[in-house]
Amino acid sequence: MSTNDHDFLFGLRESFIQEVHDMLLMISDILLEMEHGDPEKKHLEKIIRFFHNIKGSGSAVDFSHLASFCHKVEDLLVAIRVGNIEMNSDIMDLLFKTTDTLKDTLNKLNSNHNHTPDFNNIESLVLEKLQSQKQTTTTRTISNISNSNSSVQPSYPKQAIDPSAEGVLFHDKNIIIEASTFSEDKNILNICETFAEELVFADVNNRKSLTKLYDPIINLTAVTKEKSPRLSNYIDKLHRDLRIFITKQKQIDFYYSWYKEITAIIDLIRNPQHQNIKDIKDIKANASNEIKPTNENPNPSSGMIEHNHAIVFEIDQKLLDDFLADANEQLEILDSNLMIIENFPQNPGALDAIFRCYHTIKSSSAILQFNEIEKLAHKMESLLVLLRDLKIKYEGEIENISINCFKALKERINEIRAGNLNPSKKIIIKFNDIISAINRIGIDGKDEKEQNNSSTPTTNTNTTDTNTTVTASTPIDNMIKVNIDRLDRLIDTIGELVIAESMVSQSPDLNLISSGSEVFKHLDHLNKITRSLQEIGMSLRMVPLKQTFKKLIRIIRDVSKGLHKEISYTTFGEDTEVDKTVVDKINDPLVHMVRNSIDHGIESNVEDRISNGKAACGKLEIKACHKGGNIWIEIKDDGRGLDKDKILKKAIEKNIIRAGQNLSEKEIFALIFRPGFSTAEKVTDISGRGVGMDVVRRNIEELHGHIDIDSEKGKGTTFRIRIPNTLAIIEGMVIEVNKERYIIPTQYIERAVRIECNQIMRPFNGGNEIVIMDGENLPLFKLGNFYNVNGPIKNTEDGIVLILDDSGKKIALLVDQILKKQQFVIKQLNSMVNQVPGISGGTIMSDGKVGLILDAGPLIQGFVNQIDTYELNEKNNRRNK
Amino acid sequence: MNNADLSNKQGGSNNNNSVRAQAGKYLTFRLADEEYGLEILKVQEIIGLMAVTRVPKMPKFVRGIINLRGKLIPVIDMRTKFLLPEVEDTEKTCVIVVQTQTKDEKLIMGIIVDTVSEVLNIVQNELEAPPSIGSKLDNEYMLGIGKVHNRVVILLDLDNVLCESELNIVSSVNDNEKVNEKNHDDEKYYENEKKVVNG
């Protein structure tokens, strides 16, 4: 049982981490959008919903640290929405930092679920902001008190401000004591909880949606009546205030001050011990503040209309896909747990699981504004609360409701999947039936009746609302999340199939069959199928570069801000699809390159740019495209360009090259990739240590890619990266050394030649042979000797020499013969055998045997380093003389 | 599990007479004249010997790599590993694919044995501690000895036999012997060359 629970929690956490990861990505997207002159409230609301969602599901899976942190952030965001904190770049930075911290935490949690995240730093920053807000509100409200005292009596009904309630609320500690008794009552807490949630999702601009708040506030009034009539009265007054706001077209500020009050009360009930008298005073101050807006003319002003217009919520396709995938998962969990609970009604684990499911469904549907689902799930939750508290039993009527609810929900989800974003009439009727059935069950008859009356019509209005606001969307793809191991196994198996197929279709035994036979037709067919299967297999691992680009944009933003440079950027081809492993690995080098472009490329002095005839704002272009089985990524800046003379000078200074060496332009530019090379005078936190470009080169080499630089002094620099589409496949030349076959990636092979006797130079002491090729002296590397192959060819003239080139360093590799050029699927070698020098992996050859892939890069570098070419040159010169 | 293994191992080295083997099913195989047993749960499958690709610069007992349905796994020649005389492969020579557990990862590899015999159920009172002397093999390699009817089966501790540190030790020994002989020669050449040039 306990292990079961543990497994269950583990699974939940896994999906939670995945979910939050996606959400964080979306949050950063929205933040970026907001920063780019689109600071609309609707963005903020979206972010608040995301954080709220993280908080909710976080506490459901027992990540309480995360949840409480998100709660604080939510507070901050709400304060921004209410207008207590002004949105500025400081806050923006803080929010970005928050997402970063959360991302880090998620990564850590991913590897270790018991990791205790440390939010202290960032949390204190958030609290600091919140604190400053509190102070400003108090000071502001104090001035408001005096204002309101002198002002004319409000048109607002006088009895609403019950003097006795006010007295208790704001002068007495009694209220705190009373409130503390509430926190022991689960029922009240629950109502507060759901109320708080509704508040978060309440949309000020959509007044109809605010009517949803009536239910909980009536509830709250009812339940508090017994123990604290004064508080209850006060809440009742707030209830009336809300109605006034909704019906009388009050200014938006009215809502916000109301909002502050109600949240303060909810907080007070939820955790009275955390509350102090100062906060209560705050409430009082706000309360008097809140009188003020009522003085204003209720006629809507021009600004009013602006606030009033309903937000058209565009459904993001990805969000929808995620929602559907998630909903499916939840429905499955629901299904299994409903079965359990049917048989064992007392099983608390199953009940909790159902609870969590509905909660998750509720919050995710709220994000997409599937209000009817949200409503239903919410109702179901209140029913489950009764079940959990053992107030009712899971039998008869309740069982029916629960099953019906599940069925209806499933039907609705299917509807959405089919592309029907708006619920059909049938569904609405079903939903309403269930909701009223649940209401009938409720223990507190009177209360629930009231709810019943108001909730059913609300659902209707909401659903019609959705009808108008949701824009039509294209049919939705069915998504399925698959474990990457299974995917790899599938691809492995497909690879095997391809080999098996080729072995059959190329079998010499086929010659025995007459050529007119049906077999050949079938074989052809088989061949086609295997090929398309192989293509599908490869495409499964492809993901668009979009996320990588988004990260880059984020980097551009951070770095340009840090350096006080103004940068405008354009991206192109973010839908280019790349193998997942490539995407993971290409991130680092791209980040380094972008940082370099901004730091070194773009001039720090705006005048320099203008005098060069360029716009003051630096330009950065990031492009990606497919070309000939490769992906090309281009990063282009319009900065000062590379300074050849400076690079040469530095390189000589650092002993990377010798003075007087003749280097082509490309070779000079390539120098910047050398480790330790930097032309920067000063080391900054962004660049200058000469590490970045080395990392770039290494990472790209790891991807079997190639990097190219184009630069013109004063005009700018372009980095062009070419990377094979997938890491899983390389193009290689099969070579043979006495029956042993090795594969050399073609990217390293410059050419293959048979050499003449007079091109070989044998050192007098029997040392390494040297091949003279077009005036170049290349050390000869005998693969057979290096790998101890039995009986390789003895004479260099008998074999074939491959000229291998790795970023300028060349060697001649002697092999017996070249067999063919082909594409190979790279396979990881077992850790036991992956330490062999010069071998990077294995592959399966067309005959099903294993072939080893030579890691030519390190092989060349290592070999060349052993023989100093300089000395060879010297020797060569001496000999020639 | 791991801790238990470790403490057992320490116990084993301090006191050679401890039995680490547990009663249960063992897959037995033959190597030269001896019969050995593997815990059945470590065995993934048994396959016939297929084309093995040699991996250069590996200790001699690593015969090479095979393609096991799309996965590349190394195969170990148990005869070489146990310093038994080499023989030609026969029809009965086969590969037992086993899963071993090292400190931080699970490895799948194949071991080449002369012939696979049977699955043997060994009960507790048929188990004996490995002898402290008179055995070619280190006691670390043995879980114990099973005496079933009149047969004696050496129960192997595969994790220890195939663990990586073991491989490294052996590979360095072999390095010194002959595998990398040529390479060392090459290096000497370069050194000579430099000396000559510098001189």
Side-chain angles (χ1 to χ4, degrees):
Chain A
M1 175 68 208
S2 70
T3 52
N4 249 351
D5 264 8
H6 185 262
D7 280 358
F8 180 68
L9 185 63
F10 187 84
L12 270 187
R13 284 179 167 181
E14 297 265 283
S15 67
F16 167 76
I17 288 169
Q18 190 56 46
E19 210 175 294
V20 176
H21 185 79
D22 293 349
M23 281 194 223
L24 284 175
L25 284 179
M26 280 185 261
I27 291 174
S28 359
D29 284 359
I30 297 171
L31 283 175
L32 276 174
E33 218 169 290
M34 280 172 78
E35 205 181 36
H36 275 262
D38 197 8
E40 268 186 71
K41 279 250 160 71
K42 70 170 180 188
H43 289 311
L44 203 58
E45 311 241 327
K46 266 196 222 173
I47 298 178
I48 293 176
R49 287 197 192 116
F50 279 130
F51 272 107
H52 184 75
N53 225 9
I54 297 173
K55 181 180 82 175
S57 9
S59 58
V61 295
D62 272 359
F63 287 152
S64 50
H65 289 81
L66 197 72
S68 76
F69 173 62
C70 284
H71 181 72
K72 300 247 161 57
V73 180
E74 209 183 305
D75 280 351
L76 179 70
L77 287 166
V78 168
I80 297 169
R81 180 171 74 172
V82 172
N84 279 345
I85 295 179
E86 208 188 327
M87 195 66 182
N88 54 22
S89 61
D90 265 10
I91 299 271
M92 220 50 192
D93 283 342
L94 182 62
L95 290 176
F96 273 122
K97 236 182 252 165
T98 312
T99 51
D100 286 350
T101 317
L102 280 174
K103 244 178 250 170
D104 282 356
T105 314
L106 270 192
N107 285 340
K108 282 180 194 142
L109 283 174
N110 199 13
S111 47
N112 172 17
H113 285 193
N114 294 325
H115 164 77
T116 320
D118 177 23
F119 291 120
N120 286 343
N121 281 338
I122 188 100
E123 204 167 322
S124 63
L125 284 173
V126 172
L127 284 178
E128 206 174 280
K129 292 278 175 214
L130 277 172
Q131 217 69 46
S132 67
Q133 163 240 346
K134 281 230 167 97
Q135 275 156 21
T136 54
T137 25
T138 17
T139 48
R140 207 177 64 197
T141 46
I142 285 165
S143 67
N144 278 336
I145 296 169
S146 50
N147 269 351
S148 61
N149 284 346
S150 59
S151 64
V152 201
Q153 267 302 317
S155 60
Y156 180 71
K158 206 186 169 188
Q159 70 273 23
I161 315 152
D162 187 337
S164 65
E166 214 188 7
V168 174
L169 251 181
F170 309 120
H171 294 298
D172 236 328
K173 281 188 182 175
N174 281 349
I175 189 76
I176 298 167
I177 297 160
E178 276 176 12
S180 69
T181 58
F182 287 142
S183 67
E184 286 155 17
D185 188 329
K186 266 198 178 169
N187 195 19
I188 295 179
L189 274 187
N190 250 321
I191 290 168
C192 280
E193 235 21 272
T194 45
F195 194 9
E197 206 146 292
E198 295 273 8
L199 275 173
V200 173
F201 289 119
D203 186 350
V204 206
N205 298 316
N206 183 348
R207 295 196 176 205
K208 268 183 193 160
S209 86
L210 288 181
T211 52
K212 274 199 274 181
L213 297 174
Y214 288 158
D215 283 2
I217 204 167
I218 291 168
N219 267 350
L220 200 61
T221 325
V223 290
T224 48
K225 200 162 232 156
E226 200 182 305
K227 281 184 184 153
S228 171
R230 287 167 299 191
L231 186 63
S232 171
N233 272 344
Y234 195 77
I235 297 170
D236 194 39
K237 178 214 141 231
L238 287 176
H239 172 209
R240 268 167 283 159
D241 283 355
L242 180 64
R243 281 192 192 268
I244 289 166
F245 172 71
I246 292 169
T247 51
K248 297 239 170 105
Q249 307 278 301
K250 292 285 176 203
Q251 286 280 17
I252 206 122
D253 289 345
F254 184 98
Y255 174 78
Y256 287 135
S257 60
W258 176 87
Y259 180 88
K260 262 184 270 177
E261 265 184 90
I262 196 78
T263 42
I265 289 176
I266 290 171
D267 275 354
L268 182 70
I269 295 173
R270 278 204 291 192
N271 30 5
Q273 65 273 29
H274 295 158
Q275 221 63 27
N276 56 33
I277 299 174
K278 187 177 158 269
D279 283 338
I280 309 276
K281 276 188 182 145
D282 257 17
I283 301 176
K284 181 196 175 183
N286 289 337
S288 17
N289 169 33
E290 171 254 330
I291 298 168
K292 200 190 156 214
T294 60
N295 290 337
E296 281 167 24
N297 193 334
N299 287 342
S301 61
S302 62
M304 189 71 216
I305 295 157
E306 221 178 74
H307 283 304
N308 224 354
H309 77 92
I311 292 166
V312 179
F313 194 89
E314 285 161 37
I315 289 197
D316 191 315
Q317 186 64 38
K318 182 162 171 8
L319 265 177
L320 196 56
D321 288 350
D322 282 354
F323 167 73
L324 285 172
D326 192 43
N328 237 5
E329 228 171 83
Q330 298 299 339
L331 283 176
E332 259 172 50
I333 301 171
L334 258 183
D335 196 12
S336 56
N337 280 298
L338 281 175
M339 261 173 14
I340 296 174
I341 206 159
E342 235 168 79
N343 298 325
F344 309 100
Q346 302 300 332
N347 187 333
L351 194 63
D352 285 349
I354 294 172
F355 210 114
R356 278 193 287 260
C357 287
Y358 275 119
H359 192 79
T360 318
I361 292 173
K362 185 175 86 173
S363 36
S364 54
S365 55
I367 290 183
L368 288 173
Q369 297 206 343
F370 290 127
N371 297 353
E372 72 288 347
I373 299 181
E374 191 196 344
K375 194 87 202 170
L376 182 71
H378 182 72
K379 264 277 142 1
M380 214 36 218
E381 266 182 29
S382 33
L383 181 71
L384 289 166
V385 170
L386 295 177
L387 276 169
R388 194 172 60 183
D389 297 347
L390 300 174
K391 295 215 168 104
I392 49 174
K393 276 187 184 154
Y394 192 84
E395 58 189 12
E397 168 84 305
I398 309 277
E399 196 176 322
N400 281 341
I401 292 174
S402 137
I403 303 269
N404 282 340
C405 179
F406 170 68
K407 278 184 187 155
L409 203 56
K410 201 168 179 177
E411 228 174 294
R412 175 74 188 109
I413 299 283
N414 283 338
E415 218 177 73
I416 296 173
R417 181 169 300 117
N420 249 334
L421 294 182
N422 306 322
S424 61
K425 280 221 175 90
K426 206 175 81 190
I427 292 277
I428 294 175
I429 292 166
K430 269 190 190 171
F431 274 29
N432 283 339
D433 281 355
I434 295 164
I435 290 174
S436 42
I438 294 173
N439 285 338
R440 251 178 276 134
I441 298 288
I443 34 155
D444 195 336
K446 190 189 148 211
D447 245 352
E448 299 288 335
K449 273 267 162 60
E450 238 177 291
Q451 259 191 4
N452 186 8
N453 287 341
S454 52
S455 67
T456 326
T458 335
T459 324
N460 278 336
T461 48
N462 277 334
T463 43
T464 45
D465 226 79
T466 335
N467 280 342
T468 52
T469 53
V470 169
T471 50
S473 121
T474 48
I476 298 143
D477 288 339
N478 271 328
M479 296 273 283
I480 182 166
K481 281 185 187 166
V482 182
N483 187 322
I484 194 119
D485 287 344
R486 280 196 203 172
L487 201 63
D488 285 346
R489 235 160 59 209
L490 174 73
I491 292 168
D492 276 356
T493 319
I494 293 174
E496 281 297 286
L497 179 71
V498 172
I499 291 160
E501 189 269 337
S502 73
M503 272 155 87
V504 172
S505 56
Q506 282 162 27
S507 158
D509 294 351
L510 285 177
N511 295 334
L512 306 175
I513 305 167
S514 73
S515 58
S517 166
E518 281 279 296
V519 171
F520 292 102
K521 222 169 103 192
H522 296 323
L523 277 176
D524 262 3
H525 190 52
L526 180 67
N527 181 278
K528 261 184 210 150
I529 295 170
T530 19
R531 240 183 247 180
S532 71
L533 197 56
Q534 196 180 17
E535 261 165 42
I536 295 166
M538 284 322 342
S539 74
L540 286 180
R541 296 179 52 95
M542 301 299 246
V543 289
L545 275 172
K546 199 178 246 157
Q547 288 310 331
T548 316
F549 273 30
K550 293 246 166 88
K551 268 183 222 154
L552 289 182
I553 292 168
R554 173 74 197 284
I555 298 283
I556 295 174
R557 175 204 172 267
D558 287 357
V559 175
S560 62
K561 262 200 147 172
L563 291 167
H564 307 293
K565 289 182 185 176
E566 217 183 309
I567 309 278
S568 73
Y569 57 84
T570 46
T571 58
F572 176 80
E574 54 182 24
D575 289 324
T576 312
E577 286 200 326
V578 190
D579 190 278
K580 178 92 171 72
T581 40
V582 175
V583 169
D584 292 345
K585 282 206 177 152
I586 195 144
N587 195 33
D588 275 5
L590 288 182
V591 166
H592 281 297
M593 283 161 71
V594 166
R595 286 160 78 112
N596 264 300
S597 287
I598 298 173
D599 192 16
H600 301 309
I602 306 288
E603 298 88 341
S604 35
N605 203 338
V606 179
E607 275 93 62
D608 288 353
R609 289 184 60 85
I610 294 168
S611 67
N612 260 324
K614 291 184 278 195
C617 176
K619 250 201 259 165
L620 205 63
E621 246 178 69
I622 308 172
K623 286 190 206 165
C625 65
H626 274 293
K627 216 154 84 188
N630 291 311
I631 311 145
W632 293 76
I633 299 177
E634 198 177 287
I635 297 181
K636 185 176 178 182
D637 67 62
D638 70 339
R640 57 188 160 207
L642 291 174
D643 188 335
K644 267 185 265 176
D645 302 329
K646 206 168 158 190
I647 294 172
L648 273 177
K649 213 177 117 213
K650 270 276 168 179
I652 293 166
E653 235 172 70
K654 298 215 164 176
N655 259 332
I656 294 173
I657 53 166
R658 274 171 304 278
Q661 239 175 337
N662 256 338
L663 294 172
S664 70
E665 195 176 57
K666 290 249 170 237
E667 280 171 313
I668 296 172
F669 290 153
L671 287 173
I672 67 168
F673 293 117
R674 294 291 182 89
F677 185 87
S678 171
T679 55
E681 274 84 27
K682 245 189 357 224
V683 173
T684 66
D685 62 340
I686 289 167
S687 51
R689 287 201 187 81
V691 182
M693 287 322 240
D694 183 40
V695 172
V696 170
R697 191 180 58 102
R698 269 166 208 281
N699 277 338
I700 289 174
E701 267 169 17
E702 254 175 60
L703 292 165
H704 309 291
H706 182 80
I707 183 161
D708 214 22
I709 309 173
D710 260 353
S711 181
E712 200 173 330
K713 202 175 168 186
K715 290 259 174 71
T717 313
T718 308
F719 291 93
R720 227 171 265 118
I721 305 171
R722 186 196 67 206
I723 299 166
N725 249 339
T726 162
L727 267 192
I729 291 182
I730 55 156
E731 195 185 54
M733 197 88 91
V734 188
I735 54 112
E736 197 181 53
V737 184
N738 187 39
K739 305 286 180 230
E740 280 190 18
R741 290 174 303 179
Y742 296 92
I743 292 136
I744 301 175
T746 39
Q747 54 178 339
Y748 292 112
I749 302 177
E750 197 182 87
R751 58 178 156 163
V753 284
R754 201 175 274 280
I755 49 174
E756 304 289 321
C757 229
N758 58 11
Q759 285 179 289
I760 309 161
M761 191 179 74
R762 292 190 177 82
F764 47 89
N765 62 354
N768 230 79
E769 289 176 23
I770 289 159
V771 173
I772 304 162
M773 183 79 64
D774 299 336
E776 275 182 294
N777 302 308
L778 308 173
L780 184 75
F781 186 84
K782 293 185 176 175
L783 194 66
N785 288 353
F786 183 65
Y787 280 153
N788 261 359
V789 183
N790 291 329
I793 45 160
K794 285 277 177 279
N795 295 323
T796 311
E797 305 88 280
D798 299 340
I800 287 179
V801 166
L802 292 174
I803 311 294
L804 303 185
D805 179 351
D806 178 55
S807 36
K809 292 192 172 178
K810 289 182 186 176
I811 60 167
L813 185 81
L814 177 69
V815 301
D816 288 10
Q817 60 172 317
I818 296 172
L819 296 179
K820 61 182 162 187
K821 198 169 101 176
Q822 195 189 318
Q823 299 228 315
F824 294 98
V825 179
I826 302 179
K827 305 264 174 172
Q828 287 302 309
L829 286 179
N830 187 308
S831 72
M832 201 175 136
V833 282
N834 66 2
Q835 305 280 324
V836 183
I839 286 180
S840 63
T843 187
I844 293 163
M845 318 275 286
S846 48
D847 58 2
K849 285 186 198 155
V850 180
L852 296 172
I853 299 170
L854 289 186
D855 195 358
L859 207 64
I860 297 166
Q861 298 287 351
F863 189 65
V864 172
N865 285 343
Q866 281 178 345
I867 311 163
D868 195 308
T869 34
Y870 177 58
E871 283 174 6
L872 283 172
N873 277 342
E874 284 281 302
K875 214 182 330 176
N876 196 18
N877 286 343
R878 237 184 286 159
R879 199 188 155 95
N880 284 348
K881 276 172 199 166
Chain B
M1 172 75 194
N2 254 349
N3 280 339
D5 269 353
L6 245 158
S7 60
N8 270 341
K9 210 189 275 177
Q10 278 165 356
S13 52
N14 292 338
N15 174 13
N16 281 332
N17 291 323
S18 70
V19 187
R20 289 186 292 140
Q22 288 175 344
K25 291 193 166 156
Y26 286 82
L27 177 76
T28 64
F29 61 87
R30 275 196 167 276
L31 269 184
D33 300 328
E34 239 73 56
E35 195 166 19
Y36 298 84
L38 292 178
E39 295 153 281
I40 197 85
L41 287 176
K42 296 249 184 235
V43 178
Q44 182 182 311
E45 62 191 296
I46 301 162
I47 50 175
L49 191 60
M50 52 171 88
V52 182
T53 302
R54 184 185 79 101
V55 182
K57 302 207 182 251
M58 283 304 281
K60 218 181 161 201
F61 64 81
V62 178
R63 174 93 65 105
I65 302 177
I66 57 165
N67 167 18
L68 180 73
R69 293 188 304 279
K71 280 221 150 39
L72 306 187
I73 63 165
V75 287
I76 310 286
D77 194 329
M78 289 307 264
R79 268 184 177 264
T80 325
K81 174 75 186 167
F82 289 163
L83 307 176
L84 297 167
E86 282 176 51
V87 290
E88 285 277 301
D89 295 332
T90 67
E91 262 183 12
K92 285 189 169 175
T93 308
C94 58
V95 178
I96 306 176
V97 180
V98 291
Q99 294 167 336
T100 60
Q101 175 78 50
T102 62
K103 286 187 296 296
D104 33 40
E105 59 179 339
K106 273 187 180 159
L107 287 182
I108 295 180
M109 52 178 90
I111 58 173
I112 302 177
V113 299
D114 287 0
T115 157
V116 170
S117 324
E118 61 180 324
V119 177
L120 202 60
N121 201 3
I122 301 181
V123 292
Q124 194 64 49
N125 60 14
E126 289 168 336
L127 288 170
E128 271 182 32
S132 41
I133 31 160
S135 166
K136 257 188 194 173
L137 304 174
D138 189 355
N139 280 335
E140 288 268 297
Y141 286 179
M142 278 193 259
L143 292 169
I145 284 179
K147 281 191 177 164
V148 188
H149 306 302
N150 288 325
R151 291 153 67 189
V152 175
V153 180
I154 302 166
L155 305 177
L156 287 178
D157 184 350
L158 259 194
D159 292 346
N160 279 345
V161 174
L162 300 177
C163 80
E164 243 177 310
S165 61
E166 192 70 28
L167 287 178
N168 290 340
I169 293 163
V170 183
S171 97
S172 63
V173 170
N174 272 21
D175 269 358
N176 291 342
E177 282 169 21
K178 54 184 176 179
V179 171
N180 284 345
E181 213 171 49
K182 190 68 195 170
N183 193 29
H184 281 264
D185 282 353
D186 282 350
E187 272 166 25
K188 265 182 229 152
Y189 284 140
Y190 305 144
E191 273 167 27
N192 286 340
E193 208 170 276
K194 274 182 192 165
K195 270 181 211 154
V196 169
V197 172
N198 290 339

